[in-house]
């Protein structure tokens, strides 16, 4: 089994995975809502989220694991088991996926794994990579032919980022990365060169 690098405090990552054998992981709208509720429970206390997109058989997140000093242990949810001795962001994602799998298996009377192997993670280490990745995540439904307009897809962070509604996303940091809200929208409306991230496009 391939050993994945742990998610390190203070670093940005593209986190993604798909269903086992590319099978669906979301079957109806409530599944998407439930996954996001579990994400808020397990991941928000230990990471800032900059972008996300959920598709029928895979997902993408762009996160920054908080520095240890930023994590409020009173809001930290680990699992139904004993409190761990250390805070481990990778383990929190595993708890998220395990909890979601258990709920799906129970709801649809299925058994076995839902996701493909261990989740993938790629370090995001420069600003262009960061900006292009957000664009890629939001345009993933366009890439897969689900919609012609990324803004109209309901299961991504695009519409939330340009709205004024309360959100767990780090909206200010996202918009500052592009310059302004207008710059963010203009960037998304232009076709971007994604050559540098072609290696991890999920089909």
């Amino acid at each position: 089994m391939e050993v994945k690098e742990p998610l390190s405090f203070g670093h940005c990552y593209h986190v993604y995975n798909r269903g086992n054998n590319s099978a669906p992981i979301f079957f109806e709208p409530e599944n998407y809502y439930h996954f996001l509720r579990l994400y808020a429970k397990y991941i928000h206390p230990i990471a800032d989220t900059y972008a996300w997109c959920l598709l029928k058989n895979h997902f993408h997140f762009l996160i920054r694991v908080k520095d240890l000093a930023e994590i409020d242990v009173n809001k930290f949810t680990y699992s139904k088991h004993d409190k761990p001795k250390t805070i481990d962001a990778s383990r929190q994602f595993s708890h998220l996926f395990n909890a979601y799998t258990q709920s799906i298996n129970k709801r649809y009377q299925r058994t076995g794994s839902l996701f493909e192997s261990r989740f993938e993670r790629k370090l995001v280490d420069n600003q262009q990579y960061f900006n292009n990745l957000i664009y890629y995540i939001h345009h993933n439904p366009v890439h897969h032919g689900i919609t012609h307009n990324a803004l109209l897809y309901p299961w991504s962070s695009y519409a939330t980022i340009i709205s004024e509604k309360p959100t767990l996303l780090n909206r200010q940091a996202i918009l500052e990365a592009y310059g302004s809200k207008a710059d963010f929208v203009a960037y998304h409306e232009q076709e971007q060169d994604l050559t540098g991230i072609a290696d991890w496009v999920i089909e």
Side-chain angles (χ1 to χ4, degrees):
M1 181 180 294
E2 180 184 0
V3 178
K4 304 291 186 182
E5 289 293 325
L7 300 175
S8 299
F9 296 111
H11 289 80
C12 289
Y13 295 92
H14 175 208
V15 173
Y16 58 102
N17 206 352
R18 59 186 170 190
N20 197 21
N21 296 317
S22 298
I25 55 177
F26 303 108
F27 303 94
E28 57 182 300
E30 174 55 27
N31 300 156
Y32 295 89
Y33 287 121
H34 186 57
F35 186 91
L36 293 173
R37 287 192 294 266
L38 290 174
Y39 182 91
K41 175 182 179 180
Y42 287 107
I43 308 303
H44 178 65
I46 56 97
D48 292 319
T49 303
Y50 299 113
W52 59 269
C53 187
L54 309 180
L55 291 99
K56 189 173 183 64
N57 72 341
H58 67 280
F59 63 81
H60 297 273
F61 286 91
L62 172 56
I63 67 162
R64 172 188 168 270
V65 180
K66 297 177 181 179
D67 289 316
L68 189 58
E70 297 177 80
I71 297 175
D72 184 349
V73 293
N74 295 318
K75 297 180 180 178
F76 182 65
T77 305
Y78 34 94
S79 72
K80 296 179 181 179
H81 306 293
D82 293 337
K83 183 176 180 179
K85 296 179 180 179
T86 59
I87 295 176
D88 184 332
S90 300
R91 185 175 297 153
Q92 286 305 107
F93 272 99
S94 294
H95 290 327
L96 161 64
F97 304 140
N98 289 337
Y100 182 72
T101 297
Q102 290 173 15
S103 68
I104 290 296
N105 284 355
K106 181 178 180 180
R107 185 179 182 92
Y108 299 104
Q109 298 182 335
R110 67 181 301 278
T111 59
S113 60
L114 182 66
F115 296 100
E116 186 175 88
S117 187
R118 297 186 178 184
F119 69 94
E120 300 289 341
R121 74 291 305 266
K122 298 290 185 182
L123 181 67
V124 179
D125 56 5
N126 66 72
Q127 192 64 52
Q128 182 176 0
Y129 190 177
F130 181 94
N131 287 13
N132 278 356
L133 181 55
I134 291 179
Y135 171 92
Y136 166 75
I137 289 174
H138 290 154
H139 280 80
N140 211 236
V142 177
H143 171 75
H144 290 283
I146 300 170
T147 180
H148 295 293
N149 187 337
L151 184 58
L152 298 180
Y153 185 70
W155 305 111
S156 88
S157 53
Y158 189 4
T160 301
I161 290 172
I162 61 177
S163 76
E164 301 296 331
K165 297 179 180 179
T167 178
L168 296 180
L169 292 169
N170 194 333
R171 181 186 283 140
Q172 181 177 351
I174 300 163
L175 296 179
E176 288 177 353
Y178 292 87
S180 68
K181 183 185 293 187
D183 293 325
F184 175 85
V185 172
Y187 193 94
H188 277 67
E189 290 179 345
Q190 299 172 10
E191 186 173 353
Q192 302 296 327
D193 180 5
L194 301 179
T195 304
I197 60 178
D199 288 343
W200 35 258
V201 171
I202 294 182
E203 299 296 349

